[in-house]
């Protein structure tokens, strides 16, 4: 186990290069940073800069061409496929712009999704799901289907779900991108507060300068590198 002061998430010299028949596309060209428990950072940058690619590598959904990622002292790219799937499920919480909720499942069931990999959720996990939904203000929406919710409410389900299994790291890719200003502010507030209460590392890719300004650090991804803004 890492000591309390050692970083939870460390990215070291991450490069990502796509080889197309005509050219080599260098998307990430040496990205390094470290975040301690409870720390958060924003990543901004133009479309196509590689923000989603970086998040996918940090969450072990995609492999870097070179460089390494460490989460809680462990490099997910040294794991076999099963270990990696388990790692993603337990240590990483993902929040996407289009929230990826299952349409036929209600709010509580969608929130419990990460727990279903381990069979039926325990009473403790169900209680936690209910508490998280209360925390994001959805206590009256537990049995609603995603189609019966507003965009902001759907994103709030995604926030609760990302935290269900107490991950070390939450990665959010333009979580407020599809929301009106009022809903975006509401989701941003929860997105900043709830992981911090849980001492979880949070990285948010966003086009919102308001959201980015509220985070402890803000980096711009440009020409494959992160620069403090
Ligand atoms: P962002 O999220 O910042 O908008 P992305 O990470 O989605 O950017 O994409 C970064 C760049 O990588 C884009 O130029 C995109 O075209 C390129 N890219 C993504 N996937 C592939 C791939 N499989 N092959 C070639 N290029 C890719
Ligand atoms: Mg993107």
């Amino acid at each position: 186990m890492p000591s309390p002061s050692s970083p939870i998430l460390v990215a070291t010299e991450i490069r990502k290069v796509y080889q197309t028949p005509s050219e080599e596309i260098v998307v990430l060209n040496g990205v390094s940073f470290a975040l301690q428990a409870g720390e958060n950072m924003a990543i901004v940058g133009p479309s196509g800069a590689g923000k989603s690619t970086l998040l996918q590598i940090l969450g072990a959904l995609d492999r870097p061409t070179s460089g390494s990622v460490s989460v809680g002292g462990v490099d997910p790219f040294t794991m076999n496929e099963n270990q990696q799937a388990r790692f993603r499920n337990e240590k990483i919480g993902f929040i996407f712009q289009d929230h990826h909720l299952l349409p036929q499942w209600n709010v509580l069931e969608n929130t419990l999704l990460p727990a279903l990999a381990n069979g039926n959720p325990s009473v403790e996990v169900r209680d936690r799901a209910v508490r998280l939904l209360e925390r994001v203000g959805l206590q009256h929406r537990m049995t609603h289907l995603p189609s019966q919710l507003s965009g902001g409410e759907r994103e709030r389900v995604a926030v609760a779900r990302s935290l269900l299994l107490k991950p070390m790291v939450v990665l959010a890719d333009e979580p407020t991108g599809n929301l009106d200003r009022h809903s975006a502010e509401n989701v941003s507030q929860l997105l900043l507060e709830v992981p911090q209460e849980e001492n979880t590392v949070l990285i948010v890719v966003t086009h919102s300068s308001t959201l980015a300004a509220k985070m402890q650090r803000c980096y711009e991804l440009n020409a494959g590198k992160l620069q403090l803004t």
Side-chain angles (χ1 to χ4, degrees), residues 195-210:
Q196 207 149 33
E197 289 163 14
E198 306 247 319
N199 224 17
T200 304
V201 164
L202 170 69
I203 299 184
V204 180
V205 165
T206 182
H207 285 296
S208 159
S209 46
T210 322

Side-chain angles (χ1 to χ4, degrees), residues 23-36:
E23 58 174 341
E24 202 176 60
I25 302 173
V26 181
V27 178
L28 302 173
N29 195 16
V31 169
S32 302
F33 62 86
L35 291 168
Q36 314 268 349

Side-chain angles (χ1 to χ4, degrees), residues 18 20 25 27 45-54 173-174 205 221:
Y18 289 111
T20 68
I25 302 173
V27 178
S47 181
K51 305 180 298 298
S52 296
T53 303
L54 177 58
D173 199 350
E174 302 190 33
V205 165
L221 184 59

Side-chain angles (χ1 to χ4, degrees), residues 30 33 80 103 124 136 152-153 227:
F33 62 86
N80 68 32
E124 289 75 24
V136 298
E153 288 171 335
Q227 288 169 327

Side-chain angles (χ1 to χ4, degrees), residues 51-118:
K51 305 180 298 298
S52 296
T53 303
L54 177 58
L55 282 196
Q56 283 173 8
I57 290 171
L58 296 173
L61 285 169
D62 194 3
R63 240 172 210 285
T65 306
S66 62
S68 68
V69 173
S70 162
V71 179
V74 177
D75 179 348
F77 298 111
T78 61
M79 299 174 178
N80 68 32
E81 231 168 86
N82 284 341
Q83 292 170 324
Q84 217 179 64
R86 194 180 167 138
F87 163 87
R88 269 195 299 272
N89 194 44
E90 291 178 356
K91 305 295 183 208
I92 310 284
F94 289 100
I95 303 170
F96 299 96
Q97 180 174 359
D98 46 5
H99 53 68
H100 293 195
L101 301 183
L102 296 177
Q104 70 278 29
W105 286 11
N106 71 27
V107 164
L108 182 58
E109 291 163 343
N110 265 289
T111 305
L112 284 167
L113 192 64
L116 299 180
N118 308 322

Side-chain angles (χ1 to χ4, degrees), residues 71-221:
V71 179
V74 177
D75 179 348
F77 298 111
T78 61
M79 299 174 178
N80 68 32
E81 231 168 86
N82 284 341
Q83 292 170 324
Q84 217 179 64
R86 194 180 167 138
F87 163 87
R88 269 195 299 272
N89 194 44
E90 291 178 356
K91 305 295 183 208
I92 310 284
F94 289 100
I95 303 170
F96 299 96
Q97 180 174 359
D98 46 5
H99 53 68
H100 293 195
L101 301 183
L102 296 177
Q104 70 278 29
W105 286 11
N106 71 27
V107 164
L108 182 58
E109 291 163 343
N110 265 289
T111 305
L112 284 167
L113 192 64
L116 299 180
N118 308 322
N120 255 343
S122 63
V123 173
E124 289 75 24
V125 170
R126 280 174 184 275
D127 282 350
R128 179 162 166 80
V130 169
R131 278 200 311 278
L132 283 166
L133 286 170
E134 286 169 354
R135 180 65 189 83
V136 298
L138 291 176
Q139 58 277 16
H140 307 307
R141 298 282 184 273
M142 305 261 184
T143 58
H144 281 54
L145 295 174
S147 61
Q148 298 167 322
L149 302 176
S150 71
E153 288 171 335
R154 288 197 279 261
E155 277 308 323
R156 278 144 63 190
V157 179
V159 171
R161 181 181 59 185
S162 75
L163 290 163
L164 182 73
L165 298 184
K166 301 186 179 168
M168 290 183 168
V169 176
V170 168
L171 303 171
D173 199 350
E174 302 190 33
T176 62
N178 284 335
L179 304 179
D180 63 72
R181 213 179 101 207
H182 177 76
S183 306
E185 272 170 23
N186 179 291
V187 168
S188 300
Q189 198 61 33
L190 291 167
L191 190 59
L192 285 179
E193 284 174 7
V194 185
Q196 207 149 33
E197 289 163 14
E198 306 247 319
N199 224 17
T200 304
V201 164
L202 170 69
I203 299 184
V204 180
V205 165
T206 182
H207 285 296
S208 159
S209 46
T210 322
L211 173 53
K214 286 185 187 158
M215 305 197 54
Q216 292 162 347
R217 284 191 244 170
C218 180
Y219 286 97
E220 177 163 9
L221 184 59

